[in-house]
């Protein structure tokens, strides 16, 4: 038992968890005919449930899961995988129909117009009744959390934002607040709103499909499931005092020490590579970083337009194409920075604390 | 004996029902009556202001549970539940440092059927999850594609508003959980480029030679909290936003959202 717990504690370390989840996402999409089937769901979801249930016997696990306001996230742990699985299953079924020339599931009924009363109104009524029962039951069973009265002098450790913002708080590990808390949220909103204008693929409008829009779906699912939901879960369950990582069966020890050995790019370049001191002039000191960041945003769009994104460039035209690639590069910057941190302990690519300008 | 029988039959539920349905009061309220025929089923959709949100006829594929998961509808219903329970909570809750916390305690201990706060809080969490799932459904069915681009945009703003509503509400119980979650969240505003006093570029903005324009008492965080830390003014500000400002904007945008669903040709489906 203890060894299993230890293995799970190790496997849930951020770098391993995020990597494994990403691999799972892409592998399951590749073998979607096998993975997104009823059989898998009938094994997977009960297994998840049993796993949770057994884990509840572990004291530390129980403490984390039942912390105030963590209850809904346990629900989310099931709901989001379930609906992802469900929509992919529908997509796989529809793709199979397209391949064999049978009409789509939705298509079979598009011509049928039914009366809203009773068909839709009754569905809604039933949904309302069930949801009311659920909410009232939930509310009777679990009281809303309330801690001691607010006290500005007693900072809890860890201090956490509300759970839906913990993805952003988790980003703080890799980026400064101006990026993680302001620029990236802004870009997420803008990026989401831009989707209909940069995805000009006319196929897959109004029905589930994977084959006809695999690239869009994988980008969205990676962004939503890994960079959003998984980071929320990580921030909620696996980050303890001082925002240190704690496995699900690990005691939240306030004195756990994690060596902070993060190094700036300028250090790597001037001190370690050239063997000299860092220049005093900020601009010279950070010139490498500026080159890297500029190169990151300038070179890939041009290279991609001639290679794998050629089709996009031709279909979208320059304006839409460059906006799309810019947004994708911003999104990709998070996993890239993560990997650089995990592998090289890289702290800042550009580090100008004097002006709070750290990337 | 026969008279008694007559009296009893006239009191039977069917008869009683008929009598009620014939009464002037009933007919003035429910113009169409019980929707038993197709004609009446259409008329009831047109005559009732709430049902009028829907068209009279819908495509069968579009209202399938397997297609929409009813997630948008669930989100909207949760919004209504939250509005209602929130209104009840407002009867008891006073947004001042002196009273806020004790009022919350009283809600549990003194108020009969004191689960309004529970419903409000769990419902709010559920709404965040359901709005995410609704977005996933809309994405996975490609329903943001023309002609629904604009409505997707409206939806994204609704998503942000849902999060902000939840965030502003989080402070109101005025306990440790509330205060520190909002402190952590609002500290980010301090780092807003140019507009936060620890944001990049802020120290480039000066009045005259060297009086900083952006300081801890004039930056984005200060505007959000009405002070340099989460205190009395922040509580009031969040209360007003939570109970009046944000719900109004969200309600308004939901009206736009629903209107556009119909203008864009109803729930999407394959052509
Ligand atoms: C407070 C939040 C929201 C409410 C109350 C709401 C409500 C609804 C409802 C009731 C529908 C009808 C179909 C269905 O139930 O799926 C709908 C459709 C739609 N929603 Fe939302 N929604 C919200 C947020 C969003 C978000 C976050 C997005 C996207 C980012 C979005 C985009 C759309 C689009 C594009 C449609 C049309 C779908 C179609 O025709 O198939 N909505 N919404």
């Amino acid at each position: 038992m203890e060894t299993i717990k230890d293995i799970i504690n190790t496997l849930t370390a951020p770098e391993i968890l995020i990597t494994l989840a990403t691999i799972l996402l892409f592998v399951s999409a590749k073998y979607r005919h096998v993975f997104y089937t009823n059989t898998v769901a009938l094994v997977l979801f009960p297994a998840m449930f049993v796993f949770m249930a057994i884990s509840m016997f572990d004291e530390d696990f129980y403490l984390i899961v039942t912390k105030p306001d963590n209850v809904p996230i346990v629900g989310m742990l099931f709901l989001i995988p379930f609906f992802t699985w469900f929509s992919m299953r529908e997509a796989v079924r529809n793709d199979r129909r397209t391949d064999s020339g049978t009409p789509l599931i939705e298509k079979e009924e598009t011509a049928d117009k039914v009366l809203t009363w009773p068909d839709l109104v009754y569905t809604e009524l039933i949904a309302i009744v069930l949801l009311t029962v659920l909410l009232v039951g939930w509310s009777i069973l679990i009281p809303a959390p309330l801690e001691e009265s607010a006290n500005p002098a007693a900072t809890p450790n860890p201090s956490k934002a509300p759970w839906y913002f913990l993805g952003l708080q988790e980003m703080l590990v890799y980026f400064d607040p101006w990026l993680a808390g302001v620029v990236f949220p802004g870009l997420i909103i803008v990026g989401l709103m831009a989707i209909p204008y940069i995805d000009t693929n006319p196929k897959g409008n109004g029905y589930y499909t994977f084959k006809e829009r695999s690239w869009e779906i994988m980008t969205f699912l990676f962004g939503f499931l890994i960079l959003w939901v998984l980071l929320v879960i990580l921030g909620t369950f696996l980050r303890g005092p001082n925002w240190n990582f704690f496995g699900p069966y690990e005691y939240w020890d306030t004195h756990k020490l994690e060596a902070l050995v993060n190094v700036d790019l300028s250090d790597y370049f001037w001190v370690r590579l050239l063997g000299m001191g860092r220049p005093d002039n900020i601009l010279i000191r950070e010139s490498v970083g500026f080159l890297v960041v500029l190169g990151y945003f300038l070179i890939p769009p041009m290279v991609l337009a001639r290679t794998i994104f050629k089709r996009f460039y031709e279909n979208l035209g320059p304006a839409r194409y460059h906006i799309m690639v810019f947004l994708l590069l911003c999104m990709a910057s998070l996993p890239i920075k993560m990997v650089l941190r995990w592998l090289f302990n890289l702290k800042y690519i550009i580090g100008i604390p004097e002006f709070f300008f750290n990337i | 004996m026969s008279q008694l029988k007559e009296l009893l039959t006239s009191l039977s539920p069917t008869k009683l029902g008929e009598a009620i349905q014939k009464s002037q009061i009933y007919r003035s309220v429910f113009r169409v009556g019980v929707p038993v025929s197709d004609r009446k089923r259409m008329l009831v959709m047109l005559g009732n202001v709430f049902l009028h949100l829907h068209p009279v006829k819908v495509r069968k594929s579009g209202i399938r549970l397997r297609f929409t998961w009813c997630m948008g509808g669930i989100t909207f219903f949760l919004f209504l539940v939250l509005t209602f329970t929130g209104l009840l909570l407002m009867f008891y809750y006073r947004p001042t440092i002196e009273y806020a916390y004790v009022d919350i305690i009283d809600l549990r201990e003194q108020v009969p059927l004191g689960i309004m706060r529970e419903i409000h809080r769990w419902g709010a969490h559920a709404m965040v999850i359901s709005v995410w799932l609704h977005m996933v459904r809309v994405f996975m069915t490609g329903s943001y594609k023309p002609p629904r681009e604009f409505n997707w945009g409206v939806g994204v703003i609704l998503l942000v508003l849902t999060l902000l509503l939840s965030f502003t509400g989080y402070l109101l119980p005025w306990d440790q959980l509330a205060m520190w979650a909002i402190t952590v969240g609002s500290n980010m505003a301090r780092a807003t480029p140019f507009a936060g006093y620890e944001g990049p570029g802020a120290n480039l903005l000066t009045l005259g030679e060297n009086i900083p324009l952006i300081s801890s008492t004039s930056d984005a965080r200060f505007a959000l909290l009405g002070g340099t830390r989460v205190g009395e003014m922040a509580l009031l500000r969040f209360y007003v936003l939570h109970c009046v400002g944000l719900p109004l904007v969200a309600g308004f945008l939901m009206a736009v959202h629903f209107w556009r669903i119909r203008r864009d040709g109803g729930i999407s489906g394959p052509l």
Side-chain angles (χ1 to χ4, degrees):
Chain A
M1 205 63 190
E2 290 307 310
T3 28
I4 300 180
K5 283 184 187 175
D6 280 345
I7 294 174
I8 294 179
N9 280 342
T10 321
L11 287 182
T12 44
E15 57 273 24
I16 302 178
L17 185 67
I18 295 172
T19 314
L20 285 182
T22 311
I23 293 174
L24 177 69
L25 177 67
F26 282 88
V27 169
S28 72
K30 172 106 179 101
Y31 299 101
R32 56 190 177 279
H33 300 277
V34 186
F35 193 84
Y36 294 105
T37 50
N38 290 346
T39 333
V40 170
L42 283 174
V43 176
L44 187 70
F45 293 110
M48 268 172 75
F49 187 81
V50 170
F51 170 75
M52 290 290 284
I54 296 178
S55 297
M56 289 303 256
F57 288 103
D58 182 273
E59 215 174 306
D60 297 310
F61 188 92
Y62 181 84
L63 271 180
I64 306 172
V65 168
T66 53
K67 264 198 188 322
D69 278 338
N70 281 5
V71 185
I73 311 160
V74 178
M76 190 178 84
L77 223 47
F78 287 90
L79 286 172
I80 290 190
F82 173 78
F83 280 106
T84 309
W85 167 83
F86 183 82
S87 54
M88 284 297 281
R89 189 199 72 172
E90 294 292 291
V92 168
R93 288 187 173 180
N94 261 344
D95 287 346
R96 202 170 281 146
R97 281 167 173 248
T98 327
D99 288 341
S100 65
T102 23
L104 301 166
I105 302 170
E106 292 87 354
K107 182 88 185 173
E108 281 180 347
E109 289 176 337
T110 33
D112 292 358
K113 281 245 177 178
V114 291
L115 287 171
T116 309
W117 185 300
D119 286 65
L120 177 55
V121 178
Y122 274 60
T123 314
E124 289 173 340
L125 187 74
I126 295 168
I128 286 175
V129 171
L130 289 181
L131 208 63
T132 311
V133 171
L134 184 93
L135 266 181
V136 172
W138 183 2
S139 301
I140 291 174
L141 287 178
I142 308 180
L146 189 68
E147 300 192 339
E148 286 103 75
S149 178
N151 177 1
T155 316
N157 186 10
S159 292
K160 291 191 179 184
W163 62 269
Y164 34 83
F165 288 149
L166 287 187
L168 303 178
Q169 202 174 343
E170 176 63 18
M171 259 202 270
L172 283 175
V173 175
Y174 307 97
F175 286 108
D176 268 19
W178 73 279
L179 284 170
V182 184
V183 173
F184 282 139
L187 280 172
I188 294 170
I189 297 169
V190 173
L192 279 173
M193 287 170 81
I195 289 177
Y197 304 98
I198 49 186
D199 170 16
T200 54
N201 174 5
K203 288 202 199 124
N205 183 345
Y207 53 94
Y208 291 99
T209 167
F210 183 82
K211 211 179 50 177
E212 295 171 16
R213 18 191 317 253
S214 52
W215 151 256
E216 292 126 275
I217 288 183
M218 286 322 287
T219 314
F220 178 81
L221 286 185
F222 177 72
F224 180 71
L225 295 177
I226 308 286
L227 299 184
W228 185 325
V229 175
L230 187 66
L231 291 195
V232 168
I233 291 170
L234 213 152
T236 312
F237 293 130
L238 305 175
R239 290 293 186 183
N242 308 322
W243 210 254
N244 281 334
F245 162 77
F246 290 87
Y249 308 107
E250 200 175 328
Y251 171 68
W252 280 19
D253 180 1
T254 2
H255 303 294
K256 177 171 177 175
L257 281 182
E258 267 184 20
L260 277 181
V261 284
N262 295 335
V263 185
D264 286 356
L265 180 66
S266 55
D267 242 344
Y268 268 118
F269 184 75
W270 299 108
V271 183
R272 304 210 181 172
L273 188 69
L274 300 185
M276 50 196 271
R278 296 202 304 170
D280 286 336
N281 184 313
I282 295 175
L283 288 180
I284 299 180
R285 186 185 79 203
E286 299 304 329
S287 53
V288 199
F290 277 113
L291 279 181
V292 169
V293 173
L294 270 180
Y296 178 69
F297 282 104
L298 291 180
I299 297 170
M302 295 191 285
V303 175
L304 291 172
R306 289 193 178 75
T307 52
I308 47 173
F309 279 5
K310 202 167 173 183
R311 189 170 52 94
F312 281 125
Y313 188 73
E314 282 158 8
N315 292 342
L316 294 176
R320 284 177 208 236
Y321 169 81
H322 282 288
I323 292 174
M324 178 186 86
V325 178
F326 173 73
L327 289 170
L328 287 176
L329 285 172
C330 289
M331 179 168 143
S333 69
L334 176 59
I336 291 177
K337 188 90 192 270
M338 285 175 169
V339 172
L340 289 177
R341 171 69 55 84
W342 300 334
L343 295 181
F344 307 112
N345 291 319
L346 182 76
K347 189 165 185 209
Y348 293 132
I349 294 170
I350 300 177
I352 314 181
E354 295 86 339
F355 289 91
F356 302 109
F357 189 78
N358 303 313
I359 294 179
Chain B
M1 196 61 197
S2 64
Q3 261 176 336
L4 190 65
K5 204 174 168 194
E6 219 168 77
L7 190 74
L8 278 178
T9 37
S10 75
L11 278 178
S12 77
T14 356
K15 281 271 165 59
L16 207 65
E18 273 168 22
I20 290 176
Q21 282 175 34
K22 277 200 196 111
S23 73
Q24 191 183 356
I25 299 183
Y26 183 92
R27 280 185 296 136
S28 71
V29 180
F30 305 103
R31 286 247 175 267
V32 184
V34 185
V36 278
S37 65
D38 279 1
R39 202 185 83 90
K40 285 190 170 178
R41 286 172 178 159
M42 293 190 205
L43 286 177
V44 77
M45 295 308 295
L46 292 172
N48 182 302
V49 60
F50 305 108
L51 293 178
H52 191 69
L53 266 177
H54 291 308
V56 169
K57 283 185 158 190
V58 281
R59 247 187 276 119
K60 198 166 181 180
S61 64
I63 60 166
R64 281 273 183 226
L65 213 50
R66 68 193 301 170
F67 188 72
T68 64
W69 315 340
C70 204
M71 264 316 155
I74 288 176
T75 310
F76 182 54
F77 175 65
L78 286 170
F79 180 75
L80 295 179
V81 169
L82 290 167
T83 313
F84 177 70
T85 50
L87 199 83
L88 293 180
L89 291 174
M90 283 174 78
F91 286 136
Y92 293 92
Y93 174 84
R94 287 163 289 180
T96 61
I97 295 188
E98 213 182 340
Y99 293 123
Y101 183 69
V102 277
D103 284 348
I104 296 285
I105 291 184
D106 277 358
L107 270 169
R108 183 183 304 161
E109 309 205 327
Q110 312 293 342
V111 181
L113 293 177
I115 59 164
M116 282 309 132
R117 178 163 171 249
E118 274 69 19
I119 299 186
H120 197 75
R121 193 171 186 109
W122 300 135
H125 288 313
M127 183 172 168
V128 170
I129 297 175
S130 74
V131 81
W132 290 1
L133 287 173
H134 173 56
M135 177 176 79
V136 171
R137 175 316 259 179
V138 172
F139 186 91
M140 294 302 277
T141 56
S143 303
Y144 57 84
K145 300 191 176 203
R148 297 182 180 80
E149 312 98 305
F150 177 74
N151 219 13
W152 168 269
V154 175
V156 174
I157 300 179
L158 278 171
L159 171 87
V160 176
L161 284 172
T162 307
L163 295 179
L164 288 180
L165 269 166
S166 209
F167 183 66
T168 48
Y170 218 84
L171 181 62
L172 303 185
W174 203 250
D175 60 344
Q176 282 288 74
L177 202 61
M179 158 164 252
W180 291 99
I182 303 309
T183 304
V184 171
S186 57
N187 271 349
M188 305 266 189
R190 198 151 67 178
T192 316
F194 296 105
Y197 80 101
E198 285 182 1
N203 41 10
L204 299 176
L205 305 175
T206 47
L207 285 175
E209 271 304 290
N210 46 18
I211 304 167
L213 181 66
I214 306 291
S215 71
S216 64
T217 53
S218 68
D219 70 338
R221 182 167 180 273
F222 190 87
L224 182 70
L225 297 181
T228 49
R229 51 185 192 84
V230 179
E232 201 167 19
M233 286 311 284
L235 183 57
L236 185 60
R237 237 161 240 216
F238 276 46
Y239 176 76
V240 172
L241 284 175
H242 183 75
C243 300
V244 188
L246 294 170
L248 275 181
V249 182
F252 170 77
L253 279 179
M254 276 178 211
V256 176
H257 197 58
F258 299 155
W259 173 252
R260 282 301 290 245
I261 295 174
R262 293 194 54 184
R263 289 297 106 183
D264 296 341
I267 308 276
S268 59
L271 298 171

